[in-house]
Amino acid sequence: MAVAASTVNGFSLTPVSKADENYHRPTDLKAFDDTKAGVKGLVDAGITEIPRIFYSPPENLNSDDVSSETQIHIPVIDLDHIDKSTVDRVREASEKLGFFQLINHGIPVDVLEEMKDAVRRFNEQETESKKQYYTRDLTMPLIYNSNFDLYSAATTNWRDTFGYISAPNLHNPASLPEICRDILVDYTKRVMEIGKLLFELLSEALGLNPNYLNNIGCSDGLAFVYHYYPACPQPKSTIGISEHSDTDFITVLLQDHVGGLQIRHQNKWIDVCPVAGALVVNIGDLMQLITNDRFKSVNHRVVSKHEGPRISVAGIFSTLVLPSNKLYGPIKELLSEENPAIYRETTVRDFSIQFRSDGLGTSTLKHYKLNQAEV
Ligand code: OGA
Ligand code: NI
């Protein structure tokens, strides 16, 4: 017998407790998408139980698998005074954890605060005003939706996101929503500057000319995703962002004070604790590919919490699916007889299309391994 679905705001989504063999996930996904109101819309409607599409069995979330080894924490690197030891720290973090935090990076605290506030304003404006931006059409200047991989992912994430491609410039900034336009443009410029500096430090850390990574185009593309993770009534049964690695060269992330970001290290989850005023940097798959596995693109996730909303802004150094014919493979200068290339060459577009078709949580890199038998 089919069970009655709960009705929220005129649409029906099956709650976790009412699921039976007649449950038809695609119907609920479509109903949720059609609201164009995201997870925030569910919270606004006063739900007290997460709809079944968000449910992820607790054993899949292995939430108590968190490392108690307090000695492992993500290095905090001070950019106030850059010297050889800065390069050494960047190298060590990129080789071991794939993550580090930056302080004294030059972006004033009030700009960081305004950036997070703009994400909050966008998500907390009237649903009717926000709906016009809700789309899965990648050619739109601003893409707002919940779960970019809604129809392909195994579990739906407790998160709404909007994003745009800021470099190379495709759209006139005037097409961005007024509620957040100025800060989006300002913050973009500042993250681009930090990115260029980071690529210099990473080049030096690899023993290359400081301009190497910028010259081969690592900073040609910069896109942003602005995440809004509403407070969750059943945080242990769902996830904010599923375990994944980033497909870009590097990501520069601003997170607020709520926390929840974790990285997988030696099969344990380690918290990336919020540090006021800091930016989190992580190595992406394309960087792992061109460094022939020397720098690590490490899996990470965001757990849901009762507390919220949590806001984060990820600056993604990649041209993503934009037309590209530049080929990226392991950097020749880093290869030797003892260290032969383990990946084949790819364009950023090819790599990004592969990721889009696989969805979050799958390894894009494995498709590019030369010796598939090792996978
Ligand atoms: C991402 C990501 C983490 C966060 O956007 O790829 O991992 O803290 N975000 O939102
Ligand atoms: Ni990520």
Side-chain angles (χ1 to χ4, degrees):
M1 194 194 80
V3 293
S6 67
T7 301
V8 191
N9 261 4
F11 58 86
S12 299
L13 293 178
T14 316
V16 172
S17 59
K18 297 266 175 61
D20 70 359
E21 69 277 11
N22 295 315
Y23 169 61
H24 188 237
R25 182 175 170 82
T27 305
D28 276 7
L29 291 174
K30 177 81 171 50
F32 171 63
D33 209 20
D34 285 349
T35 67
K36 299 183 190 286
V39 176
K40 173 78 167 67
L42 300 173
V43 173
D44 288 346
I47 55 143
T48 52
E49 194 184 353
I50 63 168
R52 181 145 188 101
I53 52 170
F54 295 96
Y55 180 73
S56 184
E59 59 273 22
N60 286 5
L61 298 176
N62 50 15
S63 41
D64 11 80
D65 199 14
V66 172
S67 177
S68 53
E69 299 158 69
T70 43
Q71 70 269 30
I72 300 179
H73 53 94
I74 313 295
V76 176
I77 299 178
D78 189 341
L79 289 187
D80 192 31
H81 184 77
I82 297 176
D83 58 15
K84 190 183 162 301
S85 78
T86 319
V87 173
D88 291 341
R89 298 199 67 205
V90 166
R91 180 190 308 109
E92 197 186 345
S94 303
E95 288 178 351
K96 292 205 177 122
L97 295 171
F99 270 75
F100 52 92
Q101 307 217 43
L102 289 182
I103 54 167
N104 292 318
H105 42 64
I107 306 187
V109 171
D110 57 336
V111 172
L112 301 179
E113 289 306 313
E114 168 60 8
M115 183 65 261
K116 287 179 285 183
D117 197 60
V119 179
R120 188 192 54 71
R121 287 197 302 269
F122 179 87
N123 283 280
E124 295 180 1
Q125 68 188 310
E126 289 292 315
T127 306
E128 284 312 309
S129 332
K130 220 170 30 174
K131 267 185 181 168
Q132 59 180 304
Y133 300 107
Y134 195 95
T135 182
R136 297 188 182 276
D137 175 358
L138 298 180
T139 65
M140 296 301 280
L142 184 115
I143 299 161
Y144 158 61
N145 60 43
S146 188
N147 290 262
F148 76 91
D149 53 358
L150 184 70
Y151 295 104
S152 57
T155 43
T156 308
N157 291 172
W158 195 261
R159 177 185 93 254
D160 298 330
T161 301
F162 70 94
Y164 94 113
I165 295 175
S166 65
N169 280 342
L170 299 176
H171 301 284
N172 184 341
S175 55
L176 296 171
E178 207 188 328
I179 200 165
C180 53
R181 183 188 304 151
D182 292 351
I183 186 67
L184 258 52
V185 173
D186 181 25
Y187 188 71
T188 293
K189 288 191 195 124
R190 294 172 185 270
V191 172
M192 181 52 96
E193 279 171 27
I194 292 177
K196 291 213 155 125
L197 171 64
L198 283 166
F199 285 119
E200 288 178 14
L201 295 173
L202 290 163
S203 299
E204 287 192 64
L206 291 165
L208 301 167
N209 177 300
N211 298 322
Y212 195 98
L213 294 172
N214 283 312
N215 284 348
I216 64 167
C218 291
S219 51
D220 285 1
L222 176 58
F224 283 89
V225 283
Y226 309 85
H227 300 301
Y228 183 91
Y229 302 82
C232 181
Q234 291 174 287
K236 291 217 176 336
S237 303
T238 187
I239 185 104
I241 191 163
S242 303
E243 176 174 358
H244 68 282
S245 60
D246 294 352
T247 52
D248 54 1
F249 290 106
I250 58 169
T251 304
V252 176
L253 179 95
L254 168 65
Q255 66 166 337
D256 70 7
H257 59 283
V258 174
L261 175 62
Q262 300 180 329
I263 72 166
R264 197 189 259 292
H265 178 69
Q266 293 171 349
N267 242 10
K268 291 259 184 257
W269 288 107
I270 299 175
D271 290 318
V272 182
C273 297
V275 172
L279 292 168
V280 178
V281 178
N282 66 286
I283 301 293
D285 291 349
L286 283 167
M287 184 64 78
Q288 180 167 334
L289 185 147
I290 64 173
T291 63
N292 210 39
D293 272 358
R294 179 142 172 210
F295 289 169
K296 303 290 185 312
S297 174
V298 168
N299 275 14
H300 52 282
R301 68 178 186 181
V302 175
V303 296
S304 303
K305 296 200 170 198
H306 279 296
E307 189 185 355
R310 172 180 186 271
I311 287 165
S312 68
V313 175
I316 298 167
F317 279 90
S318 168
T319 48
L320 301 170
V321 296
L322 295 179
S324 62
N325 40 35
K326 237 180 237 173
L327 284 171
Y328 289 93
I331 294 171
K332 302 274 183 304
E333 287 85 338
L334 304 179
L335 301 178
S336 64
E337 217 162 300
E338 302 78 60
N339 181 23
I342 53 178
Y343 297 106
R344 63 183 169 88
E345 293 185 322
T346 176
T347 63
V348 173
R349 176 177 159 84
D350 239 39
F351 197 83
S352 305
I353 289 174
Q354 180 70 51
F355 164 72
R356 285 222 150 241
S357 71
D358 290 351
L360 269 187
T362 50
S363 161
T364 311
L365 270 177
K366 72 166 191 277
H367 297 285
Y368 297 88
K369 280 243 171 181
L370 282 170
N371 187 353
Q372 292 287 338
E374 281 174 19
V375 178

